[in-house]
């Protein structure tokens, strides 16, 4: 088929490689423009951009689409059978949605209609869901509201993290979109009575609220790392909590209960097992505490 691929982060790369490997003619790859990154703040292409260049595919990086009629016309002129979209980062306007013969197929990292929106992988872990998955959806103008073509399910283990779930969902999405293009399955409207939304995350989500139950804070640590991360404040520093686990214990929320970084929560306690100071490398808690003690009775911010 004659395709355009539209995606930006690591999640989208397996699908791009699978489509290319299956022999589809990918005549354009759309992704986010290069942005400053790293200590030197040099402009870096996104993962899909890098993969497309490696595969010898033409790349387009428009900064906006909604009112850019020139981009609409250029997209229509590609003569596409379909467009495959995976975490692209820009909303497609109606002229682009309608241009391909079979429309635009979205690889969405949830079991729609649960967790429409920007952060479905994190939302599933935050909510304590038993499973997640990928939905191949026919795109329309609403936010992840289009009819569904295929679904695949991935169990969420009790200690699963966002990177682990991401790495299970990305290749599943690649397999499902290949199947959807080959089979052209009938579209099924999404139910409207049990939809939920996964809003975009920000740095404001990082601070840990010790008044919450330990089980909830454990899910936050597993869901929000590596970004925006989870932090507490102590001695004027924002300390990143990279790993933790619920444990038995009780006390005033935020109070350190023992010499091994057990912290009282609103219900139960949270054992901090991997920590990082600003500008330093991550460390197991036992090594971290040698240079940054958190003695019993310390109250964390």
């Amino acid at each position: 088929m004659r395709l355009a691929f539209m995606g930006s982060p690591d999640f989208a790369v397996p699908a791009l490689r699978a489509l290319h490997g299956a022999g589809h003619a990918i005549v354009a790859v759309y992704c986010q423009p290069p942005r400053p990154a790293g200590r030197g703040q040099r402009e870096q292409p996104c993962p899909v951009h890098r993969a497309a260049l490696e595969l010898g595919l033409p790349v387009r990086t428009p900064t906006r689409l909604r009112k850019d009629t020139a981009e609409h016309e250029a997209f229509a002129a590609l003569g596409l059978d379909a467009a495959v979209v995976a975490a692209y980062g820009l909303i497609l306007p109606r002229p682009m949605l309608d241009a391909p013969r079979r429309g635009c197929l979205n690889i969405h990292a949830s079991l729609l209609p649960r967790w429409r929106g920007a952060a479905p992988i994190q939302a599933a872990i935050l909510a304590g869901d038993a499973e997640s998955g990928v939905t191949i959806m026919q795109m329309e103008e609403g936010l992840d509201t289009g009819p569904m073509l295929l679904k695949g399910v991935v169990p969420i283990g009790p200690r699963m993290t966002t990177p682990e779930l991401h790495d299970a969902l990305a290749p599943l999405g690649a397999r499902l979109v290949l199947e959807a293009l080959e089979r052209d399955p009938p579209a099924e409207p999404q139910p409207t009575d049990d939809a939920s939304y996964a809003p975009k995350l920000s740095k404001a989500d990082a601070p840990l609220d010790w008044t919450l139950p330990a089980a909830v804070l454990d899910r936050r640590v597993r869901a929000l790392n590596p970004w925006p991360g989870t932090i507490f404040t102590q001695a004027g520093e924002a300390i990143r909590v990279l790993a933790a686990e619920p444990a038995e214990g009780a006390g005033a929320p935020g109070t350190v209960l023992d010499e091994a970084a057990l912290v009282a929560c609103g219900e139960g306690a949270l054992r901090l097992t991997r920590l990082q100071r600003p500008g330093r490398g991550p460390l197991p808690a036992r090594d971290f505490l040698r240079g940054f003690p958190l003695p019993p009775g310390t109250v964390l911010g």
Side-chain angles (χ1 to χ4, degrees), residues 30-44:
Y30 285 73
C31 55
Q32 291 286 302
R35 292 195 167 91
R39 291 186 177 181
Q41 289 294 287
R42 298 178 60 182
E43 285 197 343
Q44 300 288 337

Side-chain angles (χ1 to χ4, degrees), residues 133-159:
V134 169
T135 304
I136 306 300
M137 176 191 69
Q138 192 81 45
M139 294 179 69
E140 58 181 30
E141 288 185 286
L143 178 62
D144 299 329
T145 58
M148 304 175 294
L149 302 176
L150 290 173
K151 283 187 177 182
V153 176
V154 171
I156 299 178
R159 306 303 309 153

Side-chain angles (χ1 to χ4, degrees), residues 169-188:
L169 294 177
L172 174 61
R175 293 194 298 271
L176 287 176
V177 79
L178 286 176
E179 183 180 349
L181 289 171
E182 180 179 351
R183 285 178 43 203
D184 195 15
E188 176 186 347

Side-chain angles (χ1 to χ4, degrees), residues 5 8-19 47-48 84-87 106-110 120-121 132-136 152-154 160-179:
F5 186 85
S8 296
D10 285 318
F11 176 79
V13 171
L16 174 61
R17 293 190 182 278
L19 292 165
V48 166
V84 173
V85 183
N106 181 252
I107 305 171
H108 187 75
S110 83
I121 296 176
S132 181
V134 169
T135 304
I136 306 300
V153 176
V154 171
M160 184 171 268
T161 64
T162 282
E164 290 167 344
L165 182 53
H166 169 283
D167 289 351
L169 294 177
L172 174 61
R175 293 194 298 271
L176 287 176
V177 79
L178 286 176
E179 183 180 349

Side-chain angles (χ1 to χ4, degrees), residues 33 48 51 112 126 131 157 188 192 202 205 207 228 235 238 270 291:
V48 166
L112 291 171
L126 286 170
E131 61 183 19
E188 176 186 347
T192 58
S202 74
D205 296 304
L270 193 69

Side-chain angles (χ1 to χ4, degrees), residues 241-275:
V241 179
L242 302 175
E245 57 188 19
E248 293 186 3
T255 302
V256 178
L257 300 177
D258 66 13
E259 298 286 351
L262 181 66
V263 184
C265 305
E267 294 178 14
L270 193 69
R271 175 80 64 190
L272 311 183
T273 60
R274 193 166 182 82
L275 300 163

